[in-house]
Amino acid sequence: MREVSPVQNWLLIMLVMAGSGVLYSVMFFQDSRPLIGAVFALCMGMPIIAFERKVIFRELRNRVEALPTLTFFLAELFIYEVLMSIGFAAAGLSLWGTGIVIPHSWVDMVVLPFNAFLYALAVCSLMIFVLRVRELLGREVFTSMLISRYRKPVSEERVFLFIDLVDSTTFAEKHGDLRAQQMLSSLFAAFAEPVRKYKGTIVDYVGDAAIITWPLDRGVKFARCVNCIFDIINAIEADAESWLTTYGQVPRLRAALHGGSIITAEIDHHKITYFGDTINTASRLESLCKTLNRSVLISTDLAQRIQLPAKVVAEDLGQHAVKGRGQSLGVISLVKADDRIASPKLHAGVKAPT
């Protein structure tokens, strides 16, 4: 599936938003110039989309998300009204100032009509709903299910990242299952931004583990799959004080990366599932982290296809037997350069950082 850059994504959103303004002009003001409706729609709608995607007022958006459901919706409605009113006034004054629109009164150009508010609210709500569902499922899964790409099983190459929380059972025994689940929810929420940033998809949560995947070419490009796990680790470490205050400890993770051929299929019209040795090997490799006393492992086969970032150092751990696999697997440990205690041996097959 072809990658869509952030710029292309925003251009598409702007195009849809402008189109809704044109449609409004045609429906309610047949004698108006449609482009004027597009200007108003962009000025009213784009700030709301930017707010929802945390491009603007990120801290405020985080605070609103933490509110109880009813309060959350009321706060969202109020913020939408404020942003749309400001956008409408900005568009109106701009069109008036340039002489494109000559109103009977300046009030007509700065006061948002109620019917325009309802229309804009409906359009923005629909777009936000679609974007939220896409983010929840992952852009790739969302698009694939829309076009029924995996209705028939497809063979493809993918990268899988397995992430497991260390000592989750001990935490549950000490604090109870409910508290453990709250910690897991907070932890998985911390995964969302790095996964989105590096164009991955969270395909499943299994107990205290998360499974993230990329099409192989996308995952190895710019070392996205490697950068993703270390961004997650960095985010947790940066927020260590908050974790200590809330849960009494900072989460420690074990992670493994492996890639190769896989069979992908859509099951019961609502879930995309992956089958094959690649995903089983990735799972077994994550289990090997505990045996080898390493936090992040990557198969040699996958590492050879990646230009490692300068912040990451690779240590060759040689060949290891993996349960359920007939052949041994070449294993490499990845560590942050700043955390390396002893000088590691850089595997000859891994491209050196540039």
Side-chain angles (χ1 to χ4, degrees):
M1 185 177 296
R2 189 178 68 86
E3 284 190 44
V4 176
S5 69
V7 173
Q8 291 173 323
N9 191 48
W10 277 104
L11 286 175
L12 179 60
I13 292 174
M14 291 175 66
L15 182 62
V16 173
M17 190 66 68
S20 72
V22 172
L23 179 62
Y24 181 83
S25 293
V26 172
M27 289 173 59
F28 297 100
F29 303 98
Q30 289 83 358
D31 57 341
S32 294
R33 285 166 287 182
L35 287 179
I36 294 176
V39 172
F40 274 103
L42 285 170
C43 290
M44 293 168 61
M46 291 309 296
I48 293 176
I49 301 297
F51 174 73
E52 284 293 322
R53 308 200 80 180
K54 299 182 180 180
V55 176
I56 59 174
F57 307 127
R58 178 185 291 265
E59 184 61 31
L60 175 61
R61 186 69 183 86
N62 290 335
R63 290 178 178 273
V64 171
E65 281 184 341
L67 296 173
T69 303
L70 179 59
T71 309
F72 167 79
F73 282 118
L74 292 175
E76 287 270 279
L77 187 62
F78 175 75
I79 292 170
Y80 284 7
E81 166 67 19
V82 171
L83 291 176
M84 281 192 285
S85 296
I86 294 174
F88 182 87
L93 290 174
S94 297
L95 292 172
W96 185 24
T98 55
I100 296 176
V101 176
I102 307 298
H104 297 294
S105 168
W106 67 270
V107 175
D108 296 332
M109 303 305 293
V110 297
V111 177
L112 176 64
F114 185 66
N115 62 336
F117 167 73
L118 291 180
Y119 180 83
L121 182 63
V123 171
C124 289
S125 297
L126 178 60
M127 290 188 65
I128 290 166
F129 173 76
V130 172
L131 291 171
R132 285 286 184 89
V133 171
R134 190 181 74 164
E135 289 176 3
L136 180 65
L137 296 177
R139 173 187 170 270
E140 182 186 359
V141 173
F142 178 75
T143 305
S144 296
M145 294 189 75
L146 279 181
I147 64 176
S148 299
R149 181 185 180 195
Y150 297 119
R151 187 65 56 83
K152 293 183 178 180
V154 174
S155 177
E156 58 184 0
E157 288 193 312
R158 303 192 71 88
V159 175
F160 287 92
L161 167 61
F162 276 69
I163 308 178
D164 185 33
L165 175 63
V166 177
D167 294 333
S168 59
T169 302
T170 303
F171 183 88
E173 291 174 349
K174 182 177 180 180
H175 300 282
D177 291 337
L178 179 60
R179 191 61 174 158
Q181 183 57 50
Q182 290 172 339
M183 183 179 183
L184 281 174
S185 296
S186 298
L187 180 64
F188 292 153
F191 292 0
E193 179 58 24
V195 172
R196 184 201 63 79
K197 177 181 178 182
Y198 292 108
K199 301 181 181 295
T201 300
I202 300 176
V203 296
D204 208 353
Y205 298 105
V206 183
D208 57 0
I211 305 173
I212 302 165
T213 187
W214 294 258
L216 193 141
D217 288 343
R218 184 190 304 167
V220 301
K221 188 177 182 180
F222 306 128
R224 284 176 175 142
C225 58
V226 173
N227 280 312
C228 181
I229 178 58
F230 282 101
D231 268 26
I232 290 172
I233 293 172
N234 289 338
I236 291 172
E237 291 178 352
D239 207 22
E241 186 175 342
S242 176
W243 287 104
L244 286 170
T245 301
T246 306
Y247 298 106
Q249 67 180 59
V250 180
R252 293 187 299 116
L253 304 178
R254 286 193 290 258
L257 284 156
H258 181 56
S261 296
I262 202 79
I263 300 298
T264 308
E266 185 178 330
I267 305 297
D268 293 333
H269 303 281
H270 74 279
K271 183 176 177 61
I272 292 177
T273 308
Y274 305 94
F275 305 91
D277 178 67
T278 295
I279 192 167
N280 294 330
T281 300
S283 176
R284 301 288 187 252
L285 186 59
E286 187 276 318
S287 299
L288 200 60
C289 288
K290 186 175 183 180
T291 304
L292 299 177
N293 192 28
R294 296 294 193 277
S295 296
V296 181
L297 296 179
I298 183 172
S299 65
T300 301
D301 291 342
L302 179 60
Q304 289 174 335
R305 305 182 68 161
I306 298 175
Q307 178 72 47
L308 291 178
K311 64 183 179 182
V312 175
V313 174
E315 179 185 2
D316 182 11
L317 301 180
Q319 298 286 320
H320 290 267
V322 178
K323 184 179 179 181
R325 180 184 169 99
Q327 298 178 335
S328 60
L329 182 70
V331 179
I332 291 173
S333 171
L334 300 180
V335 295
K336 291 190 295 183
D338 294 342
D339 292 345
R340 183 179 53 169
I341 298 175
S343 178
K345 175 184 176 182
L346 189 65
H347 189 270
V350 181
K351 298 177 183 178
T354 57

